Amino acid sequence: MNVTINRKRSVNEPGDLISTKKNKLYAIIEDRGEKYPFHLLCLETFTIVESYDSLPTNKELEEDIGEKLDGIYQHRDSHITVN
């Protein structure tokens, strides 16, 4: 798998990608109209880790993931290829 991503400092919009120090990859997705419309999706297992009523902070993400963040990236500037 080849991954090309450009670094961001915090989650700004749905679709942003989150990487951790242990090389895990997550995404923030949105389900409009729901009480908790923002979801933290694990891209390894394709499961929802946590749901939020607003975009989560870096501290919330670290608590919910259970490890330190390496970076947050904008999905429009990211490219993932699965071989």
Side-chain angles (χ1 to χ4, degrees):
M1 176 186 328
N2 295 322
V3 179
T4 304
I5 42 185
N6 295 318
R7 194 174 289 269
K8 282 180 62 174
R9 294 182 183 236
S10 62
V11 172
N12 288 337
E13 62 185 325
D16 285 353
L17 302 173
I18 298 108
S19 67
T20 68
K21 297 285 185 184
K22 294 183 181 178
N23 294 319
K24 301 283 183 171
L25 192 60
Y26 298 83
I28 296 294
I29 60 173
E30 183 179 16
D31 188 10
R32 290 187 182 135
E34 295 297 316
K35 182 177 180 180
Y36 298 99
F38 301 102
H39 306 285
L40 177 61
L41 174 69
C42 175
L43 294 178
E44 181 178 32
T45 62
F46 292 101
T47 57
I48 302 294
V49 175
E50 187 61 71
S51 298
Y52 309 93
D53 58 354
S54 61
L55 290 171
T57 64
N58 289 6
K59 183 177 178 181
E60 288 175 309
L61 290 169
E62 285 182 341
E63 289 173 359
D64 294 334
I65 292 171
E67 59 182 279
K68 294 286 185 186
L69 303 182
D70 184 46
I72 299 177
Y73 312 93
Q74 185 180 54
H75 67 285
R76 287 184 190 96
D77 294 332
S78 304
H79 177 77
I80 299 173
T81 303
V82 179
N83 296 324

